Amino acid sequence: MTAGTQLRGRLADRPGQVPGATRRALLLAAAAERFDPDGAPVGLLRAAGAGPFCLLPAERAGVIRVADGRIRFTGAAVRAEAYEGRPFAHRALAHAALAAVLGDDPRRFLHRAVAAPAPALGDALAAAAPTLPGALRVEAYALAAGLATTPGVRRGRLLTAAEHAWRGGDPGRARGLLREAESAAEGCGGGDGGRGVLGEVCGGDYGRGLLGEGESAAEACGGGDDDGRGLLREACGGDDGRALLLRGVVETRAGSAEDGLRLLVRAAGTGGGSPTAWVYAAEAAWAVGDAGAWRTAVRRAGLTGAGGHADPARLAHATVHAQLRGDPAIARDLARRMLDAVREAADRAGEPRALELLAGAELRLGHFRTAARHAREGLRLAERTGQPALAARHHALLALAAATTGDAPATARHAHAAGPHGQGAAATLATWALARAELLTGHADAAAARLVPLVLPGPYEGHFALRTLALPCCAEAAALCGETDAARAAVAAYERHAVHDPRAAARLLRCRALIAPDPAAARPLFERALALHDAQGPGAGFERARTQLLFGRTLHRARRPCEARHQLRAALLAFERCGAGGWATRARAELRATGGATDRADPGQLGRLTPQQARIARQVAEGSTNREIARSLSVSPRTVDHHLRNAFALLGVRSRVELARLVHDADTDA
C-alpha cells in the first residue's frame, strides 16, 4: 500500500491518526479551493494559520501537489473527505479564518456567508457578485438567495444565478436553479422580484452579448431591440416573459429542444412579440427540425431583413441564422458589416465576436487560410480584452482550420487550448477538429470514437447546433471503419436538419452513398450529389472535392481504376486550390493507390519529416530493408520501424511502395 493510499484511508476512516495541524491545513485548503478553482494560494493559507510544514505529510503522500504558489488536491474524493468529512463548526471556522485574511477580495463575502450566514450579508454578497468570475458569480447569487428575507428577492437572485449558469455553459445547474426559483415564486404574490438585480445584469450583458464558456454563436449576440431591461417576473404572474425565455433557452441547451420551443413561443407571446424570444425560438425550432416553426420564428424575430440594420447585435443574430439556413456567403457579408460597425464604434471588446463569426463563415465557404487569419486576430483581441470564452472559441476555429490544412501539431495545440472535454461550442469544435485530423491520417476508427458520442443523442453529446455540422464527418468515419449502425444513425440525424440548409442536400446524398449496400447503388447517389454541388456555385468547391474523393475511393474498390483516377485528380486539384493540404494529401494517397501519378508533385511534403525520417524514407525508396537501413545508420531495426511509421503518418501513405513513389515524384519535381 502506497503512502498516498494510507493517508487517504486515514482521512476516510481514522482521521485521528493524521496530525491535527495537517488536518486543519487540509481543511483550509479545501475551503479555499471551493471558491478558487485555480487552487488554494499558499500565502493565503499561511496567513490563515497553516504553517509552512503543516501540509508536508499530505504532499509527500500524494494527496496534494504544490505548483505556481497554489495547492491543489489530486482527487475530488480526497478533497471532499477533507472538507465534508469535518464537522460543520470546523468548516465554519476555516471559512471565517480565510475571510479574515482576504482583505478587499470579494471572495471574502462567500467565505463569510458560509461561516456566519446573515440577511445583511446576503445583500453585500449580491452586490459583490458581478465582480466575481463566472462560476463564482453563480455561487454568490445562489448563496445570496438563501440569505434573502422575502420570497421575491430570493426568486430574483435565483433567476440571476440561473442566467449566469446558463451563460457559463452549465445548463444542468441552470435548470436546478430555475426550479428553485419556481418554488420561491409560490410565495411571491406578484411583486417585482428581482427588478434591480436582473434588470442590471440583463441590461448590461444581453446587449453586449459577451457570454461565458461554451455558448453557441447565437447566444453570444444579445437582445436586439429588446435590451433585456424588462422584469423577470413571469413566475410570479407578471407579463414580461423573461423568466419563460430563460427557462426555454436552458431546456434547449440541456437537450430538451421540444420543451424549450414551447416555452420560448409562450415567452414571445407573453412579452408582446419580443424579438429576443423569437431569436431563441428559431434556434429551438432548428434543433427540433421543425421547418415551419423555424421560418415563422425567423420572420417574427426580424432576421430576414436584418441586413439593412447597423446594430451589431442584430447583425450578429442575422449572421448566425444565415449560417443555420445554409447561406455562408450572406453570413460572411453580415459578419463583415458587424466588424465594420464595432470598429466604427471603437468597441474593442466587440471585435473578437465579429471576427469569430467572420472566421466561421469563411470556414464554411472553404477559405481556410482566410479563416485562420481572422481567428488569430480574434484570439489576440479576446485575450487582450479578457474574454476567455471567446478566446477558447477562436482556438477551436484555429484547430479546425489546422486539421483541414494537415497541420497536426497545431491542431492538437489549439484543440487542447479550447478544451476538448465538454459540451460547449468550443469543446464541440475542438473535438471535431481532432477527429478530422485522425480521419485524414487514415484512422477512421479513432475519428468515429470521438464523433459518435459527440453527435448522437446521449450523455456526451456536443453543442446542440454545432454537432449537426459534424454529422457528415461522423457518417464518413463510421462507414469507413465498418460501424454501419452508427453511420446509419448519423445519416438519419442529418436528414432531420437538411430541411433547413439547401446546401445540405448534396452532403446528405454523399452520406447515403457511403452506407449504400454496394458500389452500384452508391454510384447514382454520388453523381446526384456532384450535380447539386455544381448548382451551388463556387462556394461548394471544398465539399464537392470531398464528394469526389469518396466517389473515387468507391470506384477504386469497385475495380474501376480509370474512372476513380478521374475523380481523384479533380479532388486533388480542388483541395490544393482552397488550401486544404490535409485533404490534398489524402487524395494524393488514394490516387497513387489506383496506380495513377499526381498532377503535380509536392516536394514540400518531405520537409515535414525530421532529418532522420527523411534519410530513412530515401533509403526505403532505394529498396533497402529495415535491417540494412539500421546497419547503415547505426541504429536498431526497431528504431527504423518507429521512424518509418511516423513518416507514414505525416505523409499520409500506407505502404513502402507509396512512400517510394512520393520520394521519386518529389525528386523529379525538384
Side-chain angles (χ1 to χ4, degrees), residues 42 89 104 161 179 202 221 265 344 354 357 360 423 442 543 566 568 607 630 656:
V42 173
D104 295 333
R179 288 172 179 166
C202 294
C221 300
V265 170
E344 185 177 350
L357 293 173
Q423 299 174 319
E543 289 296 334
H566 172 72
L568 292 170
R656 300 169 79 93

Side-chain angles (χ1 to χ4, degrees), residues 72 92 109 140 162 200 221 244 261 374 386 460 476 511 566 585 669:
R72 299 173 180 86
F109 293 113
E200 287 182 22
C221 300
L244 270 177
L261 178 58
H374 292 315
Y460 304 107
E476 179 181 342
C511 293
H566 172 72
T585 299
D669 186 81

Side-chain angles (χ1 to χ4, degrees), residues 315-316 318-320 323 328-342 351 353-362:
L315 288 170
T319 302
V320 170
Q323 289 274 40
I330 294 177
R332 178 184 59 186
D333 295 340
L334 291 168
R336 285 173 175 169
R337 292 191 55 196
M338 179 186 174
L339 183 60
D340 292 340
V342 295
E351 281 191 53
R353 173 66 183 141
L355 287 165
E356 178 202 357
L357 293 173
L358 184 55
E362 295 287 7

Side-chain angles (χ1 to χ4, degrees), residues 29-100:
E33 194 170 345
R34 178 177 173 182
F35 299 127
D36 195 338
D38 293 330
V42 173
L44 179 65
L45 297 189
R46 289 180 179 174
F53 301 106
C54 291
L55 289 169
L56 188 58
E59 185 180 7
R60 286 176 175 171
V63 173
I64 61 170
R65 67 176 185 275
V66 182
D68 303 325
R70 290 183 178 270
I71 296 168
R72 299 173 180 86
F73 285 86
T74 55
V78 72
R79 182 196 301 111
E81 182 58 36
Y83 185 80
E84 301 293 344
R86 303 299 300 280
F88 172 77
H90 292 187
R91 298 200 301 267
L93 288 172
H95 284 288
L98 292 170

Side-chain angles (χ1 to χ4, degrees), residues 454-523:
L454 183 77
V455 304
L456 298 182
Y460 304 107
E461 64 183 357
H463 188 273
F464 84 104
L466 297 177
R467 67 173 181 256
T468 60
L469 300 179
L471 280 167
C473 271
C474 179
E476 179 181 342
L480 293 182
C481 70
E483 297 286 344
T484 309
D485 291 340
R488 289 197 180 107
V491 173
Y494 197 52
E495 285 174 347
R496 292 194 292 272
H497 294 279
V499 295
H500 300 303
D501 185 352
R503 291 174 175 263
R507 295 192 289 269
L508 179 58
L509 285 169
R510 180 178 75 211
C511 293
R512 287 174 177 165
L514 290 171
I515 60 173
D518 53 64
R523 179 167 189 148

